[in-house]
């Protein structure tokens, strides 16, 4: 239990640090790519024979797919679960659900479970059209607003450790609202587990099993499709890194193993360079590490790239980028901050758009 608590607190501190950076750039309505046209499907484009011949950046915009709720019976309540922090929580009423996380994936899961009509409010990262009418209970980007949450009168709150201040979450518990903390880790490998945690808390485990199976099958099919266009020769595989920056705050992080970015890169058929150098989690980047790693391509969040003035500004703020093959050839792929690492029911669509930006960048734009 102590090990779990320490790891949870470490994850909380790191998530809060990243959230602070996100709040400096994100605004309501900007989630999931804003007004940009969706990237064409991978099946409809012609991939480059050799992606290393491409010069220049590209942007991936995931398709906005409609909610497709799974079928199932009414929630079976009360539901008692042990959450990700080891707390035993009993949920007796799911008529007013509130989901809170930095990527909006929890809201999407609840809607896909067929309980969207019970969601009473949203965080700023919940940007799909079906939730657009809901009041926002985060302010200044991703800060939880206790008054707004209480005004929404939720009967259950689902969250993780990615939003703060944590005292606000504790305040909700003190107010008698059941708060279920799910796993804050996001990766392609645990999407099914995350869906199962949400379904168990809301008394719909059978629906969750169906949604998890559907999501996993779609991701597996997409990975296979990407593998068919990505270089199979290990020597020709793109060496990729996920770089997180916030120019206004002077924040420059490399996302390594166990950050979720490694899962994304492997699914794209690339080589996770951070894994090669033993970079774990999310840590401040150093010029030496970046130059030594020498990635062929960088993946970034759109608002992060904008915060330094685009590719030219990135090189100015972080000169070491220019000493890498990615910088020399300007091979930088960006995607919406609230989409690229969301790892929810729409994960296959995220992978599809990224694959086009990596292997058919001219089509992505």
């Amino acid at each position: 239990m102590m090990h779990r608590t320490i790891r949870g607190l470490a994850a909380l501190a790191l998530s809060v640090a990243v959230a602070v950076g996100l709040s400096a750039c994100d605004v309501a309505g900007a989630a999931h790519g804003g007004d940009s046209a969706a990237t064409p499907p991978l099946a409809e484009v012609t991939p480059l024979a050799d992606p290393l011949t491409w010069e220049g950046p590209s942007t991936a915009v995931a398709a906005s797919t409609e909610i497709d709720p799974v079928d199932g019976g009414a929630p079976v309540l009360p539901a008692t679960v042990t959450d990700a922090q080891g707390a035993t929580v009993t949920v007796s009423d799911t008529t007013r659900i509130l989901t809170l996380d930095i990527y909006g994936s929890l809201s999407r899961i609840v809607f896909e479970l067929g309980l969207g009509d019970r969601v009473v409010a949203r965080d700023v990262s919940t940007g799909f059209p079906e939730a657009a009418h809901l009041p926002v209970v985060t302010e200044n980007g991703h800060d939880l607003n206790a008054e707004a949450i209480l005004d929404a009168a939720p009967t259950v709150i689902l969250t993780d450790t990615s939003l703060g201040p944590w005292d606000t979450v504790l305040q909700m518990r003190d107010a008698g609202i059941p708060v279920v903390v799910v796993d804050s880790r996001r990766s392609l490998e645990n999407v099914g587990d995350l869906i199962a945690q949400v379904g168990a808390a809301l008394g719909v485990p059978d629906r969750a099993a169906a949604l998890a199976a559907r999501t996993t099958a779609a991701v597996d099919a997409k990975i296979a499709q990407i593998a068919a266009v990505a270089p199979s020769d290990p020597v020709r595989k793109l060496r990729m890194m996920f770089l997180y920056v916030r120019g206004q705050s002077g924040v420059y992080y490399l996302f390594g193993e166990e950050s979720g970015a490694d899962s994304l890169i492997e699914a794209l058929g690339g080589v996770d360079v951070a894994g090669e150098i033993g970079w774990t989690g999310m840590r401040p980047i150093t010029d030496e590490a970046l130059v030594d790693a020498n990635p062929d391509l960088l993946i970034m969040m759109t608002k992060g790239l904008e915060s330094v003035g685009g590719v030219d500004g990135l090189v100015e703020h972080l000169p070491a980028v220019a000493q890498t093959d990615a910088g020399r050839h300007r091979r930088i792929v960006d995607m919406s901050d609230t989409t690229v690492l969301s790892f929810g029911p729409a994960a296959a669509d995220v992978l599809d758009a990224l694959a086009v930006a990596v292997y058919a960048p001219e089509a992505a734009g």
Side-chain angles (χ1 to χ4, degrees):
M1 179 66 72
M2 180 62 70
H3 173 71
R4 179 186 300 169
T5 302
I6 292 172
R7 189 177 68 176
L9 290 173
L12 172 61
L14 185 55
S15 297
V16 169
V18 173
V20 168
L22 281 169
S23 67
C25 292
D26 286 351
V27 294
H32 306 290
D35 297 327
S36 300
T39 299
L42 182 60
E44 298 178 6
V45 302
T46 301
L48 296 168
D50 182 359
L52 286 174
T53 62
W54 179 258
E55 303 262 346
S58 58
T59 297
V61 181
S64 179
T65 54
E66 294 183 359
I67 298 294
D68 182 18
V70 295
D71 295 327
V76 178
L77 300 172
T80 299
V81 297
T82 300
D83 73 7
Q85 293 189 329
T88 299
V89 184
T90 297
V91 178
S92 302
D93 185 350
T94 59
T95 57
R96 299 183 65 80
I97 302 169
L98 178 58
T99 50
L100 301 166
D101 71 321
I102 202 168
Y103 297 116
S105 51
L106 295 181
S107 296
R108 181 76 186 223
I109 290 172
V110 172
F111 272 76
E112 297 282 5
L113 287 173
L115 301 175
D117 60 340
R118 302 178 181 216
V119 177
V120 295
R122 66 184 177 92
D123 49 49
V124 72
S125 297
T126 299
F128 50 90
E130 291 86 347
H133 66 286
L134 296 171
V136 177
V137 296
T138 49
E139 57 186 6
N140 300 322
H142 300 278
D143 295 334
L144 297 176
N145 183 324
E147 182 178 355
I149 293 174
L150 291 173
D151 284 345
T155 56
V156 59
I157 296 175
L158 301 177
T159 189
D160 57 15
T161 57
S162 64
L163 295 181
W166 192 246
D167 283 348
T168 301
V169 177
L170 298 179
Q171 183 180 345
M172 298 305 109
R173 280 182 171 160
D174 291 340
I177 303 170
V179 176
V180 179
V181 181
V182 301
D183 195 344
S184 62
R185 293 177 301 121
R186 295 291 187 271
S187 77
L188 293 172
E189 287 75 23
N190 78 337
V191 172
D193 290 341
L194 184 63
I195 293 172
Q197 290 173 45
V198 174
L202 298 179
V204 288
D206 291 342
R207 293 194 204 183
L211 178 59
R214 186 179 80 187
T215 302
T216 300
V219 168
D220 289 345
K222 188 58 59 179
I223 291 175
Q225 184 185 14
I226 294 171
V229 303
S232 57
D233 183 349
V235 177
R236 295 178 57 240
K237 285 181 176 291
L238 287 176
R239 295 166 51 78
M240 306 182 192
M241 295 179 76
F242 193 104
L243 186 62
Y244 174 92
V245 307
R246 283 298 179 267
Q248 300 93 330
S249 306
V251 174
Y252 301 90
Y253 275 74
L254 172 61
F255 282 21
E257 292 181 311
E258 302 178 13
S259 68
D262 53 336
S263 159
L264 198 69
I265 289 171
E266 290 166 7
L268 289 171
V271 175
D272 176 31
V273 184
E276 283 189 340
I277 63 177
W279 205 276
T280 302
M282 311 173 218
R283 295 161 50 191
I285 189 68
T286 65
D287 290 346
E288 182 180 6
L290 187 56
V291 173
D292 289 346
N294 191 27
D296 297 316
L297 179 145
L298 293 175
I299 300 176
M300 298 183 63
M301 295 179 178
T302 301
K303 293 294 183 182
L305 186 58
E306 291 176 356
S307 76
V308 291
V311 176
D312 291 337
L314 176 65
V315 173
E316 180 181 344
H317 284 77
L318 198 61
V321 169
Q323 300 180 51
T324 68
D325 285 343
R328 280 187 284 269
H329 298 285
R330 300 170 64 83
R331 279 193 295 264
I332 297 173
V333 172
D334 69 280
M335 190 176 207
S336 167
D337 303 42
T338 53
T339 303
V340 65
L341 294 178
S342 57
F343 299 119
D349 295 328
V350 173
L351 282 175
D352 189 271
L354 281 170
V356 173
V358 171
Y359 297 113
E362 188 171 7

